[in-house]
Amino acid sequence: MERSTGAPLPGGRGLYEVRFHGRGGQGTVIASVLLAEAAFHEGKGVQAFPFFGVERRGAPVVAHTRIADGQIRLACDVDRPDALIVMDPSLISSVAGPSLKALRPGGFALLNSSRSAKELGLSDVAGHVVCFDASTIAREHGLGSAASPIVNTVVLGAFSRLTGVVSWPSLRAAIEKKVPTKTEANIAAAQKAYTAKGSP
Amino acid sequence: MAAELLSGNQAVGEAVRLAKAQVVSAYPITPQTTIVEHLAELIGSRRLAADYITVESEHSAMAACIGASLAGARTFTATSSQGLALMHEMLHWASGQRAPIVMANVNRALAPPWNIWVDHSDSMSQRDTGWIQLYAETNQEALDTVLQAFRVAEDPSIMLPAMVMLDAFVLSHTYMPVELPDARVVDRFLPSFSPVEKLTPGSMQLFGSFSPPNLCFMELRSAMAEAMGRARGLLLRASKEYAELTGRPALGLVEEYRTEGADVVLLAAGSLAATARDAVDLLQNEGKRVGLVRVRAFRPFPEKEVRALGRRFGTLGVLDRAYSYGAGGPIASEVRAALYGLPRPPRVASFILGLGGRDVRPDDLVKLYRRLLRGETPKEEWVGLHAPAGGT
Amino acid sequence: MAKLTLPERELVEPGHLACQGCGAALAMRLFLKGTGPDTALVIPACCWAVIAGPMPTTCLKVPTAFSAFEATASVASGIKAGLRRTGRGETLVAGFAGDGGTADIGIQALSGAAERNEDMIYVCYDNEAYMNTGIQRSGSTLPGTWTTTTPAGVGKTTPKKDMPAIMAAHAIPYVATLNPSFPEDFVAKVKKAASMHGLRYLHVLADCPTGWKHDPSLMVKVGRLATTSHLWPLYEVVEGAYRVTWEPSNPTPLEEYLKLQGRFAGMSPAEVASLKKMVEERWKALKARTTTGTLATGSSPPSSATVAPVPSAPSPRAPAPASTSKMGPPAISATSRAEAAELPLCYKTAKRCDGSCGMLQPGGLCWELFALGPRHF
């Protein structure tokens, strides 16, 4: 692969690990693949994998993305993520406690919620937690249904803005390549999360 | 060569497309399903010109593959775990009728209790069925190995079926960069299947009729044994030619990683080897003399290579992601057997780990290396049990 | 004398290994007369796995793949796909399995193939027990029958599994019952099936004098009585429409059929009455389903004048080569036996067999002899 390598990865390990929590049907696994695709586009070593439990619509789903300066050989679970992305507001209470503790020093959590960290009772870890209403942006762009919006591309737009781990053009290219339906709406929604005022 | 982000199962599907398989017959089982879905999509979109027989069981999947292969078609199937176990009877028919089918087996534990995660007990249980068995470490290798498996299986001097293993989820559902070889390059490496004999209308051919004790039964079995022996050389040749054509590294029956000057080496198959590479790197950074040998071929067993290892290293630690009850780790048992009679045999430790998808991390293997370096070489030890269970 | 209308070409060579009076052997002979030579066979574990002969000999003049007991319909599906993909898709693929391999262990694969409407003829030759393994009951055994697993005190009390009805329920193009004692009806149905595509199921009565306990010379007679007593009605189901293809004008009492066979000797009068009731109920139900009427009736097996006409739909397959002009079955061919004996190298001497060791059996079979081909059998 002869590609230019992007900015250095945060954390100083040369390896950056993301864990996604969502519910079946929200596009959680796709989110992990899109992030990997975007980083791959930048010449990074990547890996994306779901934790396969009993995959059922509505059941909690966990997926992971690893991004590295070089080739990734690891074949084990992500136990200490650099970033935690919670896609469904209803999972925050169950996931936030243990997962926030597992975050690496300097890591952070991106929560899809219209409420603040303080309102969610997460003030003790404030500074590590970014709350962001991805559901509203997804609804505005007709992604998923009003009751269960599909927020995967939206949270990735916000993630890109927050971390710079992947650039917006790379994320856009990944969505174009891997999201065959409502591609334009997904790009617009992700871009809004990436650029909009009030975006984290 | 174009690189794509592909799951292990997609990589297998792409290999089947590049191999231009003519008949696919399969039955869905987690975590193999995305292979059969991918193949259905390839066939539906005319990117693969194949008949797709959507059978009602794995037993029938293998039976249909045998029929298609006897008729002279390049034939592929994929399964996992319980499905492979259900195929058992037909696996013997496939090798006995010398049908060079290639099958991807996504390594998954066997129930009970139900468990859909990785271990190698499904394929290790089929080691005596006359199938070539190759274990992939990465998605790239899953693709490369499927192509090489067709080449070796269909060689007129071999004509045995081949199984390509990839670990459940860790490979099957993990997206990694995979370089897709050019279709014309694959065509050169793997010409169309033209067996010396195939089912021919109008002939008086027999495939697998009965043979009493004094006829040819034993001779046919002996011929299979000889063909499996020849497969060693053919695998090496195919790997070398593939490397020359694609620029990918040539892989042997075993593959060594940083073994030069090592006192202690671990042997492992599948994605465990990838984890072990990280452990080796960590320890070598500390100056520890450790290395890794990956077992790529389990059938035919790399006996000669293992004996050579026995002459070079003082301590071998064997990782088994399967167990033969009343005997031990399958790879460890065969490694010990291969070393029999060496004048100064190495000490061999056997570790059973990662059953039913139990996570194995580089740190876990670093600990094993350190113990082996201290001279602790348990005859058999189960690693990572929640509660201690018995002695070694 | 009625004109013989069966194809004369023989695709079953003499020298097979069937018992005397074997209905399955006659069924194969008639079946291949109907299909012609462009046929590939799949034979699972069953009597025919032995009848064809040990390696490397065969009495079958068509290519034959043997396979596992339950795998017939699946292997045939694969062969058809393989032939299609290698430019030989016109060859007829046929499975030829016993009742155990069909109604019991093979029903899953058969049901799957029927649901997929695979392009094959599936023949079940029904001798109403596991005869190859020594007369054990199957799901196709009649109630009241003695077998080695239904001796006195155990018995067979449940009805015979109605395979043709099960297959018809799959909505396949063609289902028919056949009886070698009615050869013209038999071959007409095979030809009709061969002219179609999709899964065609033929359920064939296959007398087994060894297991049914009667003199082998009675095979044809026993077969006739099976149909004239309504026990084995001759009918076909075309796209779901039932039609009786031959109906006796004067049905014979079931007892005439039963009393010829030792396997029914232990039946009590109550059991006979019960079986008669089942036979009559099934016959009435069949007649009730029959929508297109019967084609032929008579008190004796049909001649060419009364046999159901074969539809004139052209066969999509290559026409059968012209048969010889000789009437009746050809004489046993000495050359075909000699060919079999000349083929192999001797296991012991590594030379062509000359028969001097005394192991050469009548029919050209040698128990010490084999040919190890370049590849396999």
Side-chain angles (χ1 to χ4, degrees):
Chain A
M1 276 166 286
E2 289 166 24
R3 286 199 184 85
S4 61
T5 304
L9 290 164
R13 291 190 298 141
L15 175 68
Y16 192 83
E17 296 174 292
V18 184
R19 185 193 292 170
F20 295 82
H21 288 272
R23 289 193 182 275
Q26 280 191 321
T28 314
V29 177
I30 303 286
S32 70
V33 176
L34 286 174
L35 179 56
E37 184 73 44
F40 181 53
H41 192 77
E42 294 177 8
K44 296 282 205 304
V46 295
Q47 206 181 56
F49 57 104
F51 175 78
F52 257 78
V54 276
E55 277 251 312
R56 296 288 181 270
R57 185 164 291 273
V61 172
V62 180
H64 308 90
T65 304
R66 281 195 176 105
I67 301 170
D69 292 331
Q71 186 197 349
I72 302 174
R73 289 190 301 236
L74 283 170
C76 52
D77 296 339
V78 171
D79 60 340
R80 304 273 324 264
D82 294 277
L84 182 70
I85 298 177
V86 183
M87 315 235 301
D88 191 278
S90 70
L91 287 170
I92 291 171
S93 58
S94 58
V95 163
S99 288
L100 285 172
K101 285 197 188 82
L103 273 179
R104 285 189 181 273
F108 84 103
L110 175 61
L111 312 181
N112 173 18
S113 175
S114 57
R115 297 196 283 168
S116 70
K118 202 173 173 186
E119 286 170 328
L120 291 165
L122 299 169
S123 49
D124 54 325
V125 287
H128 298 296
V129 177
V130 179
C131 289
F132 160 61
D133 185 5
S135 298
T136 299
I137 296 178
R139 283 193 196 99
E140 283 168 12
H141 288 81
L143 303 176
S145 64
S148 50
I150 296 176
V151 298
N152 53 5
T153 48
V154 182
V155 296
L156 289 176
F159 176 83
S160 167
R161 164 92 169 189
L162 281 163
T163 63
V165 164
V166 292
S167 70
W168 165 247
S170 301
L171 181 58
R172 184 193 169 104
I175 296 171
E176 277 169 355
K177 187 169 178 189
K178 295 274 182 184
V179 181
T181 55
K182 292 192 181 179
T183 312
E184 287 310 314
N186 274 290
I187 289 170
Q191 190 161 21
K192 181 163 184 190
Y194 183 78
T195 56
K197 248 188 175 176
S199 179
Chain B
M1 215 188 294
E4 294 265 347
L5 204 56
L6 297 177
S7 72
N9 282 354
Q10 288 174 337
V12 167
E14 287 302 297
V16 176
R17 176 180 65 77
L18 288 165
K20 297 181 178 164
Q22 294 165 295
V23 176
V24 173
S25 178
Y27 185 78
I29 179 170
T30 302
Q32 154 265 34
T33 32
T34 49
I35 297 178
V36 295
E37 289 169 359
H38 191 78
L39 291 173
E41 206 178 300
L42 289 172
I43 292 167
S45 60
R46 309 277 161 92
R47 281 177 289 166
L48 175 63
D51 268 41
Y52 191 8
I53 311 175
T54 50
V55 283
E56 85 306 325
S57 71
E58 287 90 354
H59 194 282
S60 282
M62 185 47 60
C65 283
I66 292 167
S69 186
L70 295 183
R74 178 167 290 160
T75 305
F76 178 83
T77 187
T79 191
S80 180
S81 181
Q82 313 291 132
L84 186 64
L86 183 59
M87 279 182 185
H88 175 78
E89 181 193 25
M90 300 316 295
L91 297 183
H92 284 280
W93 275 93
S95 56
Q97 289 183 316
R98 307 301 288 271
I101 300 156
V102 170
M103 168 163 64
N105 178 60
V106 183
N107 276 126
R108 164 188 149 178
L110 286 159
W114 280 117
N115 181 301
I116 57 170
W117 294 274
V118 57
D119 75 30
H120 295 166
S121 47
D122 55 355
S123 52
M124 288 292 170
S125 301
Q126 307 301 341
R127 64 186 181 183
D128 299 336
T129 53
W131 282 62
I132 293 165
Q133 282 202 2
L134 305 168
Y135 289 76
E137 180 184 340
T138 61
N139 295 355
Q140 179 72 57
E141 207 188 300
L143 182 146
D144 297 341
T145 308
V146 166
L147 295 172
Q148 293 174 28
F150 272 119
R151 169 72 182 270
V152 174
E154 292 173 359
D155 189 282
S157 74
I158 304 294
M159 293 301 282
L160 286 172
M163 229 182 265
V164 177
M165 261 58 73
L166 63 161
D167 284 348
F169 300 112
V170 176
L171 296 182
S172 70
H173 284 65
T174 297
Y175 287 75
M176 301 177 188
V178 175
E179 290 179 12
L180 292 171
D182 186 88
R184 281 163 303 180
V185 168
V186 174
D187 288 347
R188 272 170 65 198
F189 175 71
L190 186 65
S192 59
F193 178 41
S194 55
V196 176
E197 283 181 43
K198 62 186 177 189
L199 191 142
T200 307
S203 76
M204 287 181 77
Q205 284 169 317
L206 295 165
F207 295 87
S209 62
F210 84 101
S211 179
N214 283 343
L215 288 183
C216 53
F217 184 90
M218 208 166 152
E219 286 67 25
L220 291 172
R221 286 292 175 272
S222 164
M224 278 172 65
E226 286 170 16
M228 187 61 93
R230 285 194 292 272
R232 289 188 174 93
L234 262 291
L235 281 164
L236 293 173
R237 206 168 80 200
S239 186
K240 189 162 166 280
E241 280 181 36
Y242 187 79
E244 284 163 5
L245 284 167
T246 62
R248 303 208 47 74
L251 301 172
L253 305 184
V254 300
E255 188 203 353
E256 298 189 24
Y257 180 69
R258 302 186 77 174
T259 50
E260 209 167 310
D263 297 324
V264 166
V265 297
L266 280 183
L267 283 83
S271 65
L272 269 181
T275 308
R277 285 174 203 258
D278 280 358
V280 168
D281 288 354
L282 286 165
L283 287 164
Q284 287 217 359
N285 287 346
E286 292 177 16
K288 297 287 192 293
R289 292 145 69 95
V290 297
L292 168 75
V293 175
R294 181 167 69 93
V295 179
R296 181 168 172 253
F298 187 65
R299 285 291 180 272
F301 190 76
E303 191 192 350
K304 196 179 82 187
E305 287 82 353
V306 169
R307 274 181 89 78
L309 297 174
R311 291 193 187 91
R312 284 164 56 201
F313 306 109
T315 303
L316 307 181
V318 185
L319 308 183
D320 269 295
R321 211 160 194 165
Y323 195 70
S324 177
Y325 299 93
I331 302 176
S333 303
E334 306 222 357
V335 164
R336 286 182 173 128
L339 296 171
Y340 182 77
L342 275 188
R344 279 189 306 282
R347 289 188 296 175
V348 180
S350 164
F351 300 103
I352 312 299
L353 74 182
L355 301 190
R358 181 68 56 86
D359 205 19
V360 179
R361 316 190 62 84
D363 284 356
D364 301 323
L365 301 184
V366 165
K367 280 179 201 152
L368 296 185
Y369 272 120
R370 290 196 199 285
R371 289 179 52 200
L372 293 170
L373 285 166
R374 285 199 299 271
E376 291 177 36
T377 52
K379 184 169 177 291
E380 176 184 311
E381 184 175 307
W382 289 55
V383 179
L385 288 179
H386 291 325
T392 54
Chain C
M1 191 176 163
K3 184 171 171 284
L4 185 71
T5 58
L6 300 181
E8 288 175 38
R9 178 155 182 181
E10 296 290 345
L11 292 164
V12 179
E13 288 278 285
H16 65 68
L17 299 185
C19 304
Q20 291 172 326
C22 174
L26 183 54
M28 178 68 91
R29 188 175 158 207
L30 292 172
F31 176 69
L32 291 178
K33 280 177 180 287
T35 65
D38 192 14
T39 303
L41 280 177
V42 179
I43 295 178
C46 64
C47 288
W48 255 104
V50 175
I51 295 171
M55 272 185 195
T57 61
T58 180
C59 66
L60 294 168
K61 298 186 86 170
V62 296
T64 308
F66 295 86
S67 196
F69 212 164
E70 66 279 51
T72 314
S74 305
V75 173
S77 302
I79 288 178
K80 187 70 192 185
L83 288 172
R84 201 159 40 220
R85 280 289 158 190
T86 50
R88 299 165 297 162
E90 293 306 309
T91 295
L92 178 85
V93 177
F96 206 89
D99 49 297
T102 302
D104 292 347
I105 197 169
I107 196 169
Q108 176 178 323
L110 174 58
S111 176
E115 183 273 325
R116 299 191 303 274
N117 199 23
E118 294 282 352
D119 193 12
M120 70 172 79
I121 294 179
Y122 187 105
V123 179
C124 170
Y125 66 96
D126 184 0
N127 47 33
E128 301 187 326
Y130 293 90
M131 297 313 188
N132 199 35
T133 45
I135 322 165
Q136 293 84 28
R137 63 94 91 185
S138 77
S140 202
T141 301
L142 286 166
T145 307
W146 170 91
T147 70
T148 56
T149 53
T150 54
V154 177
K156 168 72 162 78
T157 55
T158 51
K160 176 185 170 81
K161 197 182 280 192
D162 191 349
M163 275 309 293
I166 290 168
M167 295 312 294
H170 284 76
I172 52 176
Y174 191 67
V175 175
T177 59
L178 295 80
N179 182 338
S181 295
F182 295 75
E184 291 174 310
D185 179 81
F186 189 115
V187 173
K189 284 170 172 165
V190 174
K191 284 184 166 179
K192 186 170 183 173
S195 75
M196 297 173 156
H197 285 287
L199 200 142
R200 297 87 86 190
Y201 178 80
L202 305 180
H203 198 83
V204 178
L205 179 72
D207 190 335
C208 173
T210 311
W212 292 9
K213 307 287 175 205
H214 67 73
D215 190 275
S217 67
L218 296 176
M219 186 259 268
V220 173
K221 183 179 181 183
V222 166
R224 286 176 187 172
L225 288 169
T227 293
T228 56
S229 66
H230 290 164
L231 179 76
W232 194 273
L234 294 174
Y235 63 96
E236 63 184 11
V237 191
V238 183
E239 301 286 355
Y242 280 73
R243 187 176 70 162
V244 175
T245 57
W246 186 81
E247 183 176 348
S249 52
N250 294 307
T252 51
L254 183 62
E255 287 86 344
E256 272 189 44
Y257 176 73
L258 300 179
K259 75 181 181 193
L260 288 178
Q261 304 173 54
R263 64 173 171 156
F264 300 121
M267 286 178 84
S268 68
E271 283 176 315
V272 172
S274 168
L275 180 61
K276 279 189 81 157
K277 187 161 169 279
M278 186 194 92
V279 167
E280 278 316 305
E281 280 170 3
R282 286 196 176 185
W283 171 251
K284 278 181 195 153
L286 172 65
K287 291 291 282 178
R289 282 198 294 266
T290 301
T291 51
T292 52
T294 57
L295 276 158
T297 59
S299 53
S300 62
S303 70
S304 61
T306 57
V307 74
V310 179
S312 57
S315 166
R317 301 184 298 107
S323 55
T324 61
S325 59
K326 206 166 49 173
M327 289 291 287
I332 292 173
S333 156
T335 52
S336 66
R337 288 181 176 180
E339 274 164 17
E342 276 171 18
L343 246 177
L345 291 170
C346 182
Y347 168 49
K348 289 187 168 171
T349 65
K351 289 178 187 156
R352 296 281 167 196
C353 173
D354 59 5
S356 59
C357 63
M359 295 302 286
L360 194 61
Q361 303 298 303
L365 302 172
C366 170
W367 298 98
E368 287 284 3
L369 201 67
F370 72 97
L372 193 59
R375 191 181 136 205
H376 64 274
F377 293 92

